[in-house]
Coordinates of all heavy atoms in Angstrom, one line a residue:
T95 N 85.7 106.8 94.8 CA 85.8 105.5 95.4 C 86.9 104.6 94.7 O 87.3 104.9 93.6 CB 84.5 104.7 95.3 OG1 84.2 104.4 93.9 CG2 83.3 105.5 95.8
G96 N 87.3 103.5 95.4 CA 88.2 102.6 94.7 C 89.6 102.6 95.1 O 90.4 101.9 94.5
V97 N 90.0 103.5 96.0 CA 91.4 103.6 96.4 C 91.9 102.2 96.9 O 91.2 101.6 97.8 CB 91.6 104.6 97.4 CG1 93.1 104.6 98.0 CG2 91.4 106.0 96.9
G98 N 92.9 101.7 96.4 CA 93.4 100.3 96.8 C 92.9 99.2 96.0 O 93.3 98.0 96.2
S99 N 92.0 99.5 95.0 CA 91.5 98.5 94.2 C 91.8 98.8 92.7 O 92.5 99.8 92.5 CB 89.9 98.4 94.3 OG 89.3 99.5 93.6
N100 N 91.4 98.0 91.8 CA 91.8 98.2 90.4 C 90.7 99.1 89.6 O 90.9 99.3 88.4 CB 92.1 96.9 89.6 CG 90.8 96.1 89.4 OD1 89.9 96.1 90.2 ND2 90.7 95.5 88.2
T101 N 89.7 99.4 90.3 CA 88.6 100.2 89.7 C 88.4 101.5 90.5 O 88.1 101.4 91.7 CB 87.3 99.5 89.7 OG1 87.4 98.3 88.8 CG2 86.2 100.3 89.1
F102 N 88.6 102.6 89.9 CA 88.5 103.9 90.5 C 87.3 104.7 89.9 O 87.3 104.8 88.7 CB 89.8 104.7 90.4 CG 89.8 106.1 91.0 CD1 89.9 106.2 92.4 CD2 89.7 107.2 90.2 CE1 89.9 107.5 92.9 CE2 89.7 108.5 90.7 CZ 89.8 108.6 92.1
T103 N 86.4 105.3 90.7 CA 85.4 106.2 90.2 C 85.5 107.5 90.9 O 86.0 107.7 92.0 CB 84.0 105.6 90.5 OG1 83.7 105.7 91.9 CG2 83.9 104.1 90.1
W104 N 85.0 108.6 90.1 CA 85.0 109.9 90.7 C 83.9 110.7 90.1 O 83.5 110.5 89.0 CB 86.4 110.6 90.5 CG 86.7 111.0 89.0 CD1 86.6 112.2 88.5 CD2 87.2 110.1 88.0 NE1 87.0 112.2 87.2 CE2 87.3 111.0 86.8 CE3 87.4 108.8 87.9 CZ2 87.8 110.5 85.6 CZ3 87.9 108.3 86.7 CH2 88.1 109.1 85.6
G105 N 83.4 111.7 91.0 CA 82.4 112.6 90.5 C 81.0 112.1 91.0 O 80.7 111.0 91.2
K106 N 80.1 113.2 91.3 CA 78.8 112.9 91.7 C 77.9 112.9 90.5 O 77.9 113.8 89.6 CB 78.2 114.0 92.7 CG 76.8 113.8 93.1 CD 76.4 114.9 94.1 CE 74.9 114.7 94.6 NZ 74.5 115.8 95.5
V107 N 77.1 111.8 90.3 CA 76.3 111.7 89.1 C 75.3 112.8 88.9 O 74.6 113.1 89.8 CB 75.6 110.3 89.1 CG1 74.8 110.1 87.8 CG2 76.6 109.2 89.2
N108 N 75.3 113.4 87.7 CA 74.4 114.4 87.4 C 73.0 113.9 87.1 O 72.9 112.8 86.6 CB 74.9 115.3 86.2 CG 74.1 116.5 86.0 OD1 73.0 116.5 85.4 ND2 74.6 117.6 86.5
S109 N 72.0 114.6 87.4 CA 70.6 114.2 87.1 C 70.3 113.9 85.7 O 69.4 113.2 85.3 CB 69.6 115.2 87.7 OG 69.8 116.5 87.1
S110 N 71.1 114.5 84.8 CA 70.9 114.3 83.4 C 71.6 113.1 82.8 O 71.5 112.8 81.6 CB 71.4 115.6 82.6 OG 72.8 115.7 82.7
S111 N 72.3 112.4 83.6 CA 73.1 111.2 83.2 C 72.2 110.1 82.7 O 71.2 109.8 83.3 CB 73.9 110.6 84.4 OG 74.5 109.4 84.0
L112 N 72.5 109.6 81.5 CA 71.7 108.5 80.9 C 72.0 107.2 81.6 O 71.2 106.3 81.7 CB 72.0 108.4 79.4 CG 71.6 109.7 78.6 CD1 72.0 109.5 77.1 CD2 70.1 110.0 78.7
S113 N 73.3 107.0 82.0 CA 73.7 105.7 82.5 C 73.5 105.6 84.0 O 73.4 104.6 84.6 CB 75.2 105.5 82.2 OG 76.0 106.4 82.8
G114 N 73.5 106.8 84.7 CA 73.5 106.9 86.1 C 74.8 106.4 86.8 O 74.8 106.0 88.0
L115 N 75.9 106.5 86.0 CA 77.2 106.1 86.5 C 78.2 107.3 86.5 O 78.2 108.2 85.7 CB 77.8 105.0 85.6 CG 77.0 103.7 85.6 CD1 77.5 102.7 84.5 CD2 76.9 103.1 86.9
P116 N 79.1 107.3 87.5 CA 80.2 108.3 87.5 C 81.3 108.0 86.6 O 81.2 107.0 85.8 CB 80.6 108.3 89.0 CG 80.5 106.8 89.4 CD 79.2 106.4 88.6
N117 N 82.3 108.8 86.5 CA 83.5 108.5 85.7 C 84.2 107.3 86.4 O 84.1 107.1 87.6 CB 84.5 109.7 85.8 CG 83.9 110.9 85.2 OD1 83.4 110.9 84.1 ND2 84.0 112.1 85.9
K118 N 84.8 106.5 85.5 CA 85.4 105.2 86.0 C 86.6 104.8 85.2 O 86.7 104.9 84.0 CB 84.4 104.1 86.0 CG 84.9 102.8 86.5 CD 83.8 101.7 86.7 CE 83.3 101.3 85.4 NZ 82.4 100.1 85.5
L119 N 87.7 104.5 85.9 CA 88.9 103.9 85.4 C 89.1 102.5 85.9 O 89.1 102.3 87.2 CB 90.1 104.8 85.7 CG 90.4 106.1 84.9 CD1 91.5 106.9 85.5 CD2 90.7 105.7 83.4
T120 N 89.4 101.6 85.0 CA 89.7 100.2 85.5 C 91.0 99.8 84.8 O 91.2 99.9 83.6 CB 88.6 99.2 85.1 OG1 87.3 99.6 85.6 CG2 88.9 97.8 85.5
S121 N 91.9 99.3 85.6 CA 93.3 98.9 85.1 C 93.5 97.5 85.5 O 93.3 97.1 86.7 CB 94.4 99.8 85.7 OG 95.6 99.4 85.1
N122 N 93.9 96.7 84.5 CA 94.2 95.3 84.8 C 95.6 95.0 84.4 O 96.1 95.4 83.3 CB 93.2 94.4 84.0 CG 91.8 94.4 84.6 OD1 91.6 94.2 85.7 ND2 90.9 94.8 83.7
G123 N 96.3 94.2 85.2 CA 97.7 93.8 84.8 C 97.7 92.8 83.8 O 96.7 92.3 83.3
T124 N 98.9 92.4 83.3 CA 99.1 91.4 82.3 C 100.4 90.7 82.4 O 101.3 91.2 83.1 CB 99.0 92.1 80.9 OG1 99.0 91.1 79.9 CG2 100.1 93.1 80.7
S125 N 100.6 89.6 81.8 CA 101.9 89.0 81.7 C 102.8 89.6 80.6 O 102.2 90.2 79.7 CB 101.8 87.5 81.4 OG 101.1 87.2 80.2
F126 N 104.1 89.6 80.7 CA 105.0 90.2 79.8 C 106.3 89.5 79.7 O 106.7 88.8 80.5 CB 105.2 91.7 80.1 CG 105.9 91.8 81.4 CD1 107.3 91.9 81.5 CD2 105.2 92.0 82.7 CE1 108.0 92.0 82.7 CE2 105.9 92.1 83.9 CZ 107.2 92.1 83.9
A127 N 107.0 89.8 78.6 CA 108.3 89.3 78.3 C 109.0 90.3 77.4 O 108.5 90.5 76.3 CB 108.4 87.9 77.8
A128 N 110.1 90.9 77.8 CA 110.7 92.0 77.0 C 112.2 92.1 77.2 O 112.7 91.8 78.3 CB 110.0 93.3 77.3
D129 N 112.9 92.4 76.1 CA 114.3 92.7 76.2 C 114.5 94.1 76.6 O 113.6 94.9 76.6 CB 115.0 92.4 74.8 CG 114.9 91.0 74.4 OD1 114.8 90.1 75.3 OD2 114.8 90.7 73.2
I130 N 115.8 94.4 76.9 CA 116.1 95.8 77.3 C 115.8 96.7 76.1 O 116.1 96.4 74.9 CB 117.6 95.9 77.6 CG1 118.0 95.1 78.9 CG2 118.1 97.4 77.8 CD1 117.4 95.6 80.1
N131 N 115.2 97.9 76.4 CA 114.9 98.9 75.4 C 113.8 98.5 74.4 O 113.5 99.3 73.5 CB 116.1 99.4 74.6 CG 117.1 100.1 75.5 OD1 116.8 100.9 76.4 ND2 118.4 99.8 75.3
S132 N 113.1 97.4 74.6 CA 112.0 97.1 73.8 C 110.7 97.4 74.5 O 110.5 97.4 75.7 CB 112.0 95.6 73.4 OG 111.8 94.8 74.6
V133 N 109.7 97.8 73.6 CA 108.4 98.3 74.2 C 107.5 97.1 74.4 O 107.4 96.2 73.5 CB 107.8 99.3 73.2 CG1 106.4 99.7 73.7 CG2 108.7 100.5 73.0
F134 N 106.8 97.1 75.5 CA 105.9 96.0 75.8 C 104.7 96.5 76.6 O 104.7 97.5 77.2 CB 106.6 94.9 76.6 CG 107.1 95.3 78.0 CD1 106.3 95.1 79.1 CD2 108.3 96.0 78.1 CE1 106.8 95.5 80.3 CE2 108.8 96.4 79.3 CZ 108.0 96.2 80.5
K135 N 103.6 95.7 76.6 CA 102.4 96.1 77.3 C 102.5 95.7 78.7 O 102.9 94.6 79.0 CB 101.1 95.4 76.7 CG 99.8 95.8 77.3 CD 98.6 95.3 76.6 CE 98.4 93.8 76.9 NZ 97.1 93.4 76.4
I136 N 102.2 96.7 79.6 CA 102.4 96.5 81.0 C 101.1 96.4 81.7 O 100.9 95.8 82.8 CB 103.3 97.6 81.7 CG1 103.7 97.2 83.1 CG2 102.6 98.9 81.7 CD1 104.6 96.0 83.2
A137 N 100.0 96.9 81.1 CA 98.7 96.9 81.7 C 97.6 97.3 80.7 O 97.9 97.9 79.6 CB 98.6 97.9 82.9
D138 N 96.4 97.0 81.0 CA 95.2 97.4 80.2 C 94.4 98.5 81.0 O 94.4 98.5 82.2 CB 94.3 96.2 79.9 CG 94.9 95.2 78.9 OD1 95.3 95.7 77.8 OD2 95.0 94.1 79.3
L139 N 93.8 99.4 80.2 CA 93.1 100.5 80.9 C 91.7 100.7 80.2 O 91.7 100.8 79.0 CB 93.9 101.8 80.8 CG 93.3 103.0 81.5 CD1 93.4 102.8 83.0 CD2 94.1 104.3 81.2
T140 N 90.7 100.8 81.0 CA 89.4 101.0 80.5 C 88.8 102.3 81.1 O 88.9 102.5 82.4 CB 88.4 99.9 80.8 OG1 88.9 98.7 80.1 CG2 87.0 100.2 80.2
Y141 N 88.3 103.2 80.3 CA 87.9 104.5 80.8 C 86.5 104.8 80.4 O 86.1 104.8 79.2 CB 88.8 105.6 80.2 CG 88.4 107.1 80.5 CD1 87.9 107.5 81.8 CD2 88.6 108.1 79.6 CE1 87.5 108.8 82.0 CE2 88.2 109.3 79.8 CZ 87.7 109.7 81.0 OH 87.3 111.0 81.2
F142 N 85.6 105.1 81.4 CA 84.2 105.4 81.1 C 84.0 106.9 81.5 O 84.3 107.3 82.7 CB 83.2 104.5 81.9 CG 81.8 105.0 81.8 CD1 81.1 104.8 80.6 CD2 81.1 105.6 82.8 CE1 79.7 105.2 80.5 CE2 79.8 106.1 82.7 CZ 79.1 105.8 81.5
N143 N 83.4 107.7 80.6 CA 83.2 109.1 80.9 C 81.7 109.3 81.3 O 80.8 109.3 80.4 CB 83.5 109.9 79.6 CG 83.2 111.4 79.8 OD1 83.0 111.9 80.9 ND2 83.3 112.1 78.7
G144 N 81.5 109.4 82.6 CA 80.1 109.6 83.1 C 79.8 111.1 83.1 O 80.7 112.0 82.9
T145 N 78.5 111.4 83.3 CA 78.0 112.8 83.4 C 77.9 113.1 84.9 O 77.1 112.6 85.6 CB 76.7 113.0 82.7 OG1 76.8 112.6 81.4 CG2 76.2 114.4 82.8
V146 N 78.8 114.0 85.4 CA 78.9 114.3 86.8 C 78.8 115.8 87.1 O 79.0 116.6 86.1 CB 80.2 113.8 87.4 CG1 80.3 112.3 87.2 CG2 81.4 114.5 86.8
N147 N 78.5 116.2 88.3 CA 78.4 117.6 88.7 C 79.7 118.3 88.7 O 80.7 117.7 89.1 CB 77.7 117.7 90.0 CG 76.2 117.3 90.0 OD1 75.6 117.3 88.9 ND2 75.7 117.0 91.1
T148 N 79.7 119.5 88.3 CA 81.0 120.4 88.4 C 81.4 120.5 89.9 O 80.6 120.7 90.8 CB 80.7 121.8 87.8 OG1 80.2 121.6 86.5 CG2 81.9 122.6 87.9
G149 N 82.7 120.4 90.1 CA 83.2 120.5 91.4 C 83.3 119.2 92.2 O 83.9 119.2 93.3
S150 N 82.8 118.1 91.6 CA 82.8 116.9 92.3 C 83.9 115.9 91.8 O 84.0 114.7 92.3 CB 81.5 116.2 92.2 OG 81.2 115.8 90.9
S151 N 84.8 116.4 90.9 CA 85.8 115.5 90.3 C 87.1 115.6 91.1 O 87.3 116.3 92.1 CB 86.0 115.9 88.8 OG 84.8 115.6 88.1
V152 N 88.1 114.9 90.6 CA 89.5 115.0 91.0 C 90.4 115.3 89.8 O 90.0 115.1 88.6 CB 90.0 113.8 91.8 CG1 89.2 113.6 93.0 CG2 89.9 112.6 90.8
E153 N 91.6 115.7 90.0 CA 92.5 116.1 88.9 C 93.6 115.0 88.6 O 94.0 114.8 87.5 CB 93.1 117.5 89.1 CG 93.9 117.9 87.9 CD 94.4 119.4 88.1 OE1 94.2 119.9 89.2 OE2 95.0 119.9 87.1
F154 N 94.2 114.4 89.7 CA 95.2 113.4 89.5 C 94.8 112.2 90.3 O 94.2 112.3 91.4 CB 96.5 114.0 90.0 CG 97.1 115.1 89.2 CD1 96.9 116.4 89.5 CD2 97.9 114.9 88.0 CE1 97.4 117.5 88.8 CE2 98.3 115.9 87.3 CZ 98.1 117.2 87.6
V155 N 95.3 111.1 89.8 CA 95.2 109.8 90.5 C 96.4 109.0 90.3 O 96.8 108.8 89.2 CB 93.8 109.1 90.2 CG1 93.8 108.6 88.7 CG2 93.7 107.8 91.1
P156 N 97.0 108.4 91.4 CA 98.2 107.6 91.2 C 97.8 106.2 90.7 O 96.8 105.6 91.2 CB 98.8 107.5 92.6 CG 98.1 108.6 93.4 CD 96.8 108.7 92.8
L157 N 98.6 105.6 89.8 CA 98.4 104.3 89.3 C 99.6 103.5 89.9 O 100.7 103.7 89.6 CB 98.4 104.2 87.8 CG 98.3 102.8 87.2 CD1 97.1 102.0 87.7 CD2 98.4 102.8 85.7
N158 N 99.3 102.5 90.8 CA 100.4 101.7 91.4 C 100.5 100.4 90.7 O 99.6 99.5 90.8 CB 100.1 101.5 92.9 CG 99.8 102.8 93.6 OD1 100.5 103.8 93.4 ND2 98.8 102.9 94.5
L159 N 101.6 100.2 90.0 CA 101.8 98.9 89.3 C 102.7 98.0 90.1 O 103.8 98.3 90.4 CB 102.4 99.1 87.9 CG 101.5 99.7 86.8 CD1 102.3 100.0 85.6 CD2 100.3 98.9 86.5
N160 N 102.1 96.9 90.5 CA 102.9 95.8 91.2 C 103.4 94.9 90.2 O 102.7 94.1 89.6 CB 102.1 95.1 92.2 CG 102.9 94.2 93.1 OD1 104.0 93.8 92.8 ND2 102.2 93.7 94.2
V161 N 104.8 94.9 89.9 CA 105.4 94.0 88.9 C 106.1 92.9 89.6 O 107.1 93.1 90.4 CB 106.4 94.9 88.0 CG1 107.0 94.0 87.0 CG2 105.6 96.0 87.4
S162 N 105.8 91.7 89.3 CA 106.4 90.5 89.8 C 107.3 89.9 88.7 O 106.8 89.3 87.7 CB 105.5 89.4 90.3 OG 104.7 89.9 91.4
F163 N 108.6 90.0 88.8 CA 109.6 89.5 87.8 C 109.8 88.1 88.0 O 110.1 87.6 89.1 CB 110.9 90.3 87.9 CG 110.8 91.8 87.4 CD1 110.8 92.8 88.4 CD2 110.7 92.1 86.1 CE1 110.7 94.1 88.0 CE2 110.6 93.4 85.7 CZ 110.6 94.4 86.6
S164 N 109.8 87.3 86.9 CA 110.2 85.9 87.0 C 111.7 85.8 87.1 O 112.4 86.7 87.0 CB 109.7 85.2 85.7 OG 108.3 85.4 85.5
Q165 N 112.2 84.5 87.4 CA 113.6 84.3 87.4 C 114.2 84.6 86.1 O 113.6 84.5 85.0 CB 113.9 82.8 87.8 CG 113.4 82.5 89.2 CD 114.1 83.2 90.3 OE1 115.2 83.7 90.1 NE2 113.5 83.3 91.4
P166 N 115.5 85.1 86.0 CA 116.4 85.1 87.1 C 116.3 86.4 88.1 O 117.0 86.4 89.0 CB 117.8 85.2 86.4 CG 117.5 85.9 85.2 CD 116.1 85.5 84.7
V167 N 115.4 87.4 87.7 CA 115.3 88.6 88.5 C 114.6 88.1 89.8 O 115.1 88.4 90.9 CB 114.5 89.7 87.8 CG1 114.3 90.9 88.7 CG2 115.2 90.0 86.5

Side-chain angles (χ1 to χ4, degrees):
T95 67
V97 174
S99 74
N100 73 321
T101 298
F102 178 76
T103 72
W104 71 101
K106 181 179 180 180
V107 178
N108 189 278
S109 58
S110 65
S111 171
L112 298 177
S113 66
L115 298 173
N117 299 311
K118 182 170 70 172
L119 280 172
T120 302
S121 183
N122 293 304
T124 185
S125 59
F126 63 89
D129 297 330
I130 296 293
N131 293 321
S132 64
V133 178
F134 62 97
K135 184 173 75 169
I136 192 67
D138 290 302
L139 185 70
T140 301
Y141 172 40
F142 173 75
N143 179 11
T145 303
V146 301
N147 291 340
T148 301
S150 65
S151 295
V152 296
E153 187 173 4
F154 293 95
V155 61
L157 175 62
N158 307 318
L159 287 178
N160 187 344
V161 181
S162 296
F163 291 103
S164 303
Q165 296 295 339
V167 181

